[in-house]
Structures are given as C-alpha cells and as structure tokens.
C-alpha cells in the first residue's frame, strides 16, 4: 500500500509558546507533499522533520488568522533562494489573494517560479483540487472569519494481480492491464478463466479530514462521514467552554462528538490553548466520548 501519512509541524493556537508551534501539517500521499496551514516557524519545523519541503506542490490555508498563515511568505521567499522553478499552488479564502500578491511584490521580487492562488469558497463543500490519485474538498467551518477545512480522499485503485495465477495460465504481460480492468482470460484450448481467479480486491481508498479552527457544528459530521482519520481542533477542555463559544473554537468534547457522529476511524486533537501546560485533560475528555482519540505533538507522524 502506498504511503498516506500526516506530519505534524505545529499544533498550538494563536499565542506562541515554547511547547507548541503554530498550526501546520504536511500530508504525504503517494510521494506527493501537500501543506495545510503555514504558521510562523513552519520552516524550522520542516527542517527538523527532514521533509524535502521543496517538493511541496500545494499549500491549503484554512483562514487568515496569523497562526495559520504568517509563515507562508517566508517559505515562498526561501523557495526562491533555493532556486525553485516548479509552480506553487496556494488555496485559501478569497481574502488571501490580494494579501499574498502584495507580499510577493514587496518581499519576493524576481522569483523564478510562479505562485498560483486559487480562491476557495468557504461556504461550500466542493472539490478544489484533483489529480490522478486523489481529490481535495473544502469543508465549510464556522469561525470568526471565513474559514474552511480540507478533506483529502484517495481515488479507488485497480485490483491486485495474483502473479502465480498469471504465470500458471501463461497470460501475456500485454494482457495484465485488461485483467486489472475486469477482463477474463481465454486459454489457447478455448477455456474461459474468470477474472476473479487472477485478482485480489484493491486496497480501500483512504481519507483524511482537517478541521481547524471552528466552533462546534452539530451537523459537521455529515460532511466527513466515515473518514479514516479526522483532525479536529480542541482548543479547550470543557472547563473553558465559555471561552470556546466566545472565540468560536471547540472543546475536546465537541471534537469527540463530531468524530463519534461521523463514525471516523481515528481522531487526532490539536490547536491547544496556551493555558494548558498538560493536555492530558483534553485527551481524557475526548476519550470519554470517542475512545480512539489521540493528542498530536510536533514531530509526530501518523498513518491515515
């Protein structure tokens, strides 16, 4: 099975601390790298993770709070100094477009690569990126400004070939793709060998949803039903539920409720408030509702 994993570069919230970096992740899927959010300090985290960040092809920004985008222009500048030539695609709320354009004109003149900005409608769930192996959809969220999450879905793959059966029936290599596509095989004696003898089921497509920042949305689960892995902000535990409502954030209980209702496989928590020196209270609260919950931390890598 091809790798589909997530690298946590930062899982803190707006106030900088010595414990956590601002929000950023890299999604690695089939040798392609996609960044979600790019808070201040992301470049240093990329260095520590030893990710070949010049291979990042797209950056998906959830919203225009600094802890999610202050690192973007610095990373673009570094790409220029490293001699990047490949186009960098940036996706985010339409308000990001003119800001990014102004920053590039001010700080990054003479880039030898293009930065393509793609405005995302944060009010709709729609496919915003697609290639041969995956799609990325926007997830409408509710924060203090236009905000969306992102849902990465693998496309279905073809079945696996049973090599021993191919050899047994002397099927030519030229016919293997046809068999993958469902064809049966007729032997030189005229016997028809059913396709099922030659293939095993394909791996189930995997999916990853990123939801940060947002207040609790009771029907959010409908948009992420059945995803393998969910990252949902858990800025506070229930002891600060009033602050969560005031600032349009979620508690660990909120995040776990979404995971439970969406029947996801795993829940990863993050975007912790700086007021928590120990996030175990956040984890405990989430696990009471959704046992398969985990804390994220910088340097963590998990398989979807």
């Amino acid at each position: 099975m091809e790798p589909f994993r997530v690298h946590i570069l930062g899982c803190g919230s707006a106030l900088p601390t010595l414990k956590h970096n601002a929000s950023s992740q890299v999604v690695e899927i089939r040798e392609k790298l996609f960044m979600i959010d790019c808070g201040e300090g992301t470049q240093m985290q990329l260095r520590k993770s030893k990710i070949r960040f010049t291979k990042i092809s797209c950056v998906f920004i959830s919203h225009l709070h600094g802890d999610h985008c202050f690192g973007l222009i610095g990373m673009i500048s570094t790409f220029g100094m490293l001699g990047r030539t490949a186009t960098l695609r940036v996706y985010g709320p339409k308000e990001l477009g003119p800001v990014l354009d102004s920053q590039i004109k001010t700080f990054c003149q003479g880039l030898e690569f293009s930065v393509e900005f793609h405005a995302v409608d944060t009010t709709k769930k729609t496919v915003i990126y697609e290639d041969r192996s995956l799609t990325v959809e926007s997830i409408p969220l509710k924060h203090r400004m236009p905000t969306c999450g992102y849902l990465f879905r693998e496309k279905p793959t073809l079945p696996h070939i049973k090599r021993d059966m191919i050899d047994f029936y002397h099927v030519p290599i030229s016919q293997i793709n046809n068999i993958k596509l469902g064809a049966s095989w007729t032997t030189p004696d005229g016997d028809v060998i059913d396709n099922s003898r030659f293939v095993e089921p394909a791996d189930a497509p995997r999916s990853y949803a990123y939801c940060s920042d947002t207040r609790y949305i009771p029907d959010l689960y409908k948009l992420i039903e059945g995803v393998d892995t969910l990252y949902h902000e858990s800025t506070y535990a229930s002891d600060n539920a009033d602050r969560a409502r005031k600032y349009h954030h979620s508690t660990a209980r909120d995040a776990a409720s979404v995971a439970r209702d969406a029947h996801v496989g795993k829940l990863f928590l993050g975007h912790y408030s700086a007021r928590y020196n120990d996030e175990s209270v956040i984890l405990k609260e989430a696990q009471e509702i959704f046992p398969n919950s985990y804390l994220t931390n910088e340097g963590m890598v998990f398989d979807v």
Side-chain angles (χ1 to χ4, degrees):
M1 184 178 292
E2 293 283 345
F4 187 171
R5 57 177 68 105
V6 178
H7 302 255
I8 302 297
L9 305 180
C11 55
S13 57
L15 186 64
T17 71
L18 295 176
K19 185 176 183 180
H20 291 301
N21 281 71
S23 293
S24 186
Q25 301 182 2
V26 169
V27 178
E28 177 187 354
I29 177 170
R30 301 188 187 182
E31 300 185 354
K32 292 172 285 190
L33 300 180
F34 304 92
M35 177 173 283
I36 313 175
D37 282 336
C38 189
E40 187 177 2
T42 292
Q43 290 188 75
M44 296 303 295
Q45 293 300 102
L46 284 167
R47 292 291 192 189
K48 290 178 182 179
S49 69
K50 298 183 180 180
I51 294 172
R52 292 184 60 191
F53 65 94
T54 53
K55 291 184 64 178
I56 293 170
S57 60
C58 302
V59 180
F60 299 87
I61 301 296
S62 60
H63 64 295
L64 266 63
H65 278 158
D67 56 319
H68 294 260
C69 62
F70 276 172
L72 180 58
I73 190 61
M75 188 174 70
I76 290 173
S77 176
T78 297
F79 283 162
M81 289 188 284
L82 292 175
R84 181 184 179 115
T85 58
T87 296
L88 179 69
R89 297 173 178 82
V90 178
Y91 297 78
K94 65 179 185 298
E95 294 83 0
L96 176 60
V99 174
L100 184 59
D101 183 62
S102 175
Q103 289 180 324
I104 290 173
K105 289 177 179 177
T106 302
F107 300 112
C108 300
Q109 295 184 20
L111 291 179
E112 296 182 1
F113 66 97
S114 298
V115 179
E116 286 183 4
F117 176 69
H118 300 263
V120 176
D121 186 341
T122 60
T123 67
K124 297 179 180 179
K125 183 185 181 186
T126 185
V127 174
I128 59 172
Y129 172 89
E130 183 172 13
D131 62 27
R132 293 178 61 185
S133 58
L134 81 151
T135 61
V136 181
E137 303 169 50
S138 55
I139 306 172
L141 300 176
K142 294 184 179 180
H143 195 39
R144 302 194 305 277
M145 59 168 53
T147 304
C148 66
Y150 296 102
L151 174 52
F152 292 73
R153 290 189 189 274
E154 275 187 313
K155 291 183 176 179
T157 57
L158 295 175
H160 298 292
I161 288 291
K162 296 179 180 178
R163 188 71 211 189
D164 56 338
M165 299 304 291
I166 292 290
D167 293 340
F168 181 81
Y169 286 102
H170 304 290
V171 178
I173 293 176
S174 62
Q175 296 303 307
I176 288 180
N177 277 342
N178 290 334
I179 288 175
K180 283 186 175 183
L181 293 171
S184 296
W185 171 248
T186 302
T187 69
D189 295 331
D191 297 325
V192 178
I193 311 302
D194 189 75
N195 175 265
S196 62
R197 299 288 300 276
F198 298 106
V199 296
E200 294 177 340
D203 298 322
R206 295 161 291 181
S207 53
Y208 173 63
Y210 173 92
C211 296
S212 182
D213 299 9
T214 184
R215 68 171 177 79
Y216 174 59
I217 306 174
D219 59 353
L220 176 60
Y221 73 92
K222 297 177 182 178
L223 303 182
I224 57 173
E225 176 71 36
V227 299
D228 293 286
T229 304
L230 167 65
Y231 174 90
H232 193 294
E233 73 126 290
S234 53
T235 307
Y236 302 103
S238 292
D239 59 340
N240 282 285
D242 289 344
R243 296 182 69 85
R245 286 191 291 271
K246 179 178 179 181
Y247 296 111
H248 282 63
H249 282 296
S250 296
T251 65
R253 184 176 301 276
D254 294 333
S257 297
V258 173
R260 177 199 61 201
D261 295 344
H263 305 103
V264 307
K266 295 175 288 187
L267 169 65
F268 284 90
L269 306 164
H271 199 266
Y272 315 120
S273 169
R275 65 184 54 244
Y276 295 99
N277 292 320
D278 180 1
E279 292 91 22
S280 62
V281 62
I282 289 175
L283 178 62
K284 180 180 178 182
E285 181 173 297
Q287 289 181 333
E288 288 174 353
I289 295 174
F290 189 76
N292 208 14
S293 298
Y294 305 89
L295 294 175
T296 55
N297 204 0
E298 284 75 9
M300 182 182 192
V301 182
F302 59 82
D303 291 313
V304 171

